[in-house]
């Protein structure tokens, strides 16, 4: 069985920053980067708030640069999912679908995935009109009518992006106020292609012959239910932490995030955490990267104390 000093699970800004520090710090580092590497930034367009890029940088380009940087310092990156972590004496065994690796320390950086509404029709029409990624699927809706659901920065970003393709974008929000940052909400409010649909909940997504036809909407102020014809429907209602594979290895919060008093240490020595799988508050690429750096430095300290390195 291959033995590493640290295994990092996840390849978003948190995991790859952690890997940069552990690999550059001389630790034998394996990154289990997932079948789709790069995390949530792979589904975004230009990132304007990652310092150092005056004109912004495309999310996938930033992640590609981070990947090359960790590989340059000798980290091995495997593009597979971790399926379990087991305790073996003082070490840990990390399993994938067909392999297992021993390690002295683990950094969990698995991030979060897009939440679903769980309304009738959503699962059946997923990939047939229902999507969680405007940058991936937006081009399919040239001159079509689409809707985005949500009131956070993701919903603003998705709606704005979709105006480059669609003829009309409905932005459906369940309340009368966005939680998005003012700059992004203002951009949406001033876009003539976007119509904001306040106080409205999605009750059902309906298709004919496996193709989206309309959404059943409920205006909770007017107590009115109606059909909204649509060609595309984009979910942007937040994310859920990717922690199911952890089983009971470490303590989770009641919402399923990794429990940690300081955002880095978990309930088990030698297992550290960073990024959106722990952080429910800031959830920015730059804060995830900062957490990745801290997790790596704590890992190095832990391994020095154990005299592994
Ligand atoms: P978010 O801030 O948690 O917003 C989720 C939105 O979806 C909220 O408006 C929420 O409504 C709505 N929602 C949640 N569950 C719903 C349901 N079941 N039905 C209908 N609506 C539902 O998530 P996010 O927009 O993905 O943003 C996450 C983090 O990433 C934030 O910190 C954000 O600033 C950051 N982000 C930054 C950028 C950027 O700077 N470029 C881009 C994207 C995201 P309520 O408001 O009523 O709760």
């Amino acid at each position: 069985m291959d033995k590493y000093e640290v295994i990092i699970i996840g390849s978003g800004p948190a995991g790859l920053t952690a890997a940069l520090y552990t690999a550059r710090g001389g630790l034998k580092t394996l990154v289990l980067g997932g079948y789709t590497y790069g995390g949530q930034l792979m589904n975004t367009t230009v990132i304007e708030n990652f310092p150092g890029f005056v004109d912004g940088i495309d999310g996938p380009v930033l992640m590609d640069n981070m990947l090359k940087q960790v590989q340059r310092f000798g980290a091995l990156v495997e593009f597979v999912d971790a399926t379990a972590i087991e305790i073996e004496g003082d070490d840990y065994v990390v399993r994938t679908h067909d392999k297992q690796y021993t390690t002295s320390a683990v950094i969990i950086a698995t991030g979060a995935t897009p939440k679903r509404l769980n309304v009738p029709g959503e699962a059946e029409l997923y990939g047939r009109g229902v999507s969680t990624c405007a940058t991936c699927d937006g081009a399919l809706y040239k001159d079509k009518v689409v809707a985005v659901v949500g009131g956070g920065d993701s919903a603003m970003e998705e709606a704005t992006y979709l105006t480059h393709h669609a003829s009309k974008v409905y932005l459906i929000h369940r309340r009368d106020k966005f939680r998005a940052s003012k700059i992004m909400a203002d951009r949406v409010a001033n876009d003539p292609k976007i119509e904001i649909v306040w106080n409205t909940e999605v009750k059902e997504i309906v298709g004919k012959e496996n193709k989206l036809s309309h959404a059943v909407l409920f205006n909770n102020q007017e107590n009115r239910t109606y059909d909204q014809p649509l060609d595309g429907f984009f979910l942007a209602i937040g994310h859920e932490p990717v922690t199911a594979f952890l089983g009971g290895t470490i303590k989770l919060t009641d919402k399923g995030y990794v429990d940690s008093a300081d955002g880095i240490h978990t309930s088990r020595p030698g297992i550290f955490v960073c990024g959106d799988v722990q952080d429910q508050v800031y959830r920015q690429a730059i804060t995830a990267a900062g957490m990745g750096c801290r997790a790596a430095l704590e890992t190095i300290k832990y391994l020095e104390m154990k005299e592994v390195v």
Side-chain angles (χ1 to χ4, degrees):
M1 201 191 310
D2 291 340
K3 167 109 204 233
Y4 289 86
E5 283 160 342
V6 59
I7 292 181
I8 295 162
I9 307 175
S11 58
L16 291 183
T17 304
L20 174 62
Y21 274 76
T22 58
R24 190 167 176 273
L27 299 192
K28 188 176 177 198
T29 300
L30 170 67
V31 179
L32 297 176
Y35 294 110
T36 51
Y37 99 95
Q40 293 173 49
L41 290 194
M42 298 303 277
N43 295 334
T44 62
T45 48
V46 67
I47 313 290
E48 292 172 335
N49 52 10
F50 200 93
F53 302 96
V54 179
D55 300 317
I57 181 166
D58 279 343
V61 175
L62 181 62
M63 295 322 299
D64 204 43
N65 287 348
M66 285 193 198
L67 177 66
K68 287 182 183 134
Q69 200 175 358
V70 306
Q71 288 171 327
R72 180 184 148 216
F73 286 106
L76 177 65
V77 184
E78 301 270 19
F79 299 98
V80 289
D81 286 343
T83 53
I85 303 176
E86 286 154 18
I87 301 147
E88 196 175 75
D90 249 13
D91 289 333
Y92 293 101
V93 173
V94 181
R95 292 186 185 279
T96 65
H97 73 288
D98 65 347
K99 276 190 180 172
Q100 55 184 50
Y101 307 90
T102 311
T103 182
S104 304
V106 180
I107 299 176
I108 297 162
T110 40
T113 54
K115 259 171 60 178
R116 307 286 174 95
L117 285 166
N118 294 320
V119 294
E122 181 186 43
E124 295 81 349
L125 290 164
Y126 195 81
R128 299 182 173 89
V130 176
S131 168
T132 53
C133 178
T135 46
C136 315
D137 299 330
L140 302 172
Y141 297 96
K142 191 164 165 42
D143 300 326
K144 306 265 188 201
V145 177
V146 300
V148 175
V149 185
D153 282 337
S154 298
M156 306 301 122
E157 194 172 63
E158 300 274 281
T160 303
Y161 179 80
L162 285 165
T163 60
H164 302 314
H165 300 287
S167 57
K168 168 102 187 171
V169 180
Y170 291 101
L171 178 53
I172 302 166
H173 186 37
R174 62 185 175 184
R175 294 190 292 135
D176 62 356
K177 211 171 167 205
F178 288 140
R179 69 171 64 226
S181 56
K182 188 174 179 315
I183 184 170
M184 292 173 86
D186 285 350
R187 205 171 284 161
V188 158
N190 293 325
D191 194 311
K193 275 195 180 176
I194 300 175
E195 181 176 331
I196 301 169
V197 186
W198 299 110
N199 302 309
T200 297
E201 298 161 31
V202 180
K203 293 295 180 195
E204 188 176 351
I205 305 169
V206 183
K208 278 190 195 117
E209 291 160 9
N210 261 342
K211 190 171 171 289
L212 176 68
S213 68
H214 63 276
V216 180
L217 304 182
F218 172 67
N219 183 310
N220 55 32
Q221 293 302 298
E222 298 165 4
N223 218 0
R224 180 172 64 96
T225 303
Y226 64 102
D227 290 350
Q228 176 61 61
L230 292 170
D231 300 301
F233 185 93
F234 290 81
L235 295 161
I237 59 167
H239 295 83
E240 277 168 340
V242 180
T243 51
F245 75 100
L246 290 168
T249 316
I250 52 171
K251 211 172 146 208
L252 304 180
T253 68
D254 53 0
K255 287 187 178 161
Y257 288 81
V258 173
D259 195 29
S260 172
D262 63 358
I264 299 300
H265 293 85
T266 69
S267 57
R268 199 168 276 285
I271 302 186
F272 300 87
V273 67
C274 51
D276 287 12
V277 71
Q278 189 281 325
D279 173 24
Q280 289 183 70
V281 180
Y282 300 106
R283 300 180 295 182
Q284 304 297 303
I286 189 67
T287 52
M291 289 173 80
C293 164
R294 289 176 58 206
L297 296 179
E298 288 299 322
T299 301
I300 293 168
K301 203 165 31 166
Y302 168 82
L303 295 176
E304 283 170 354
M305 299 261 288
K306 273 184 71 181
E307 298 184 348
V308 172
V309 291

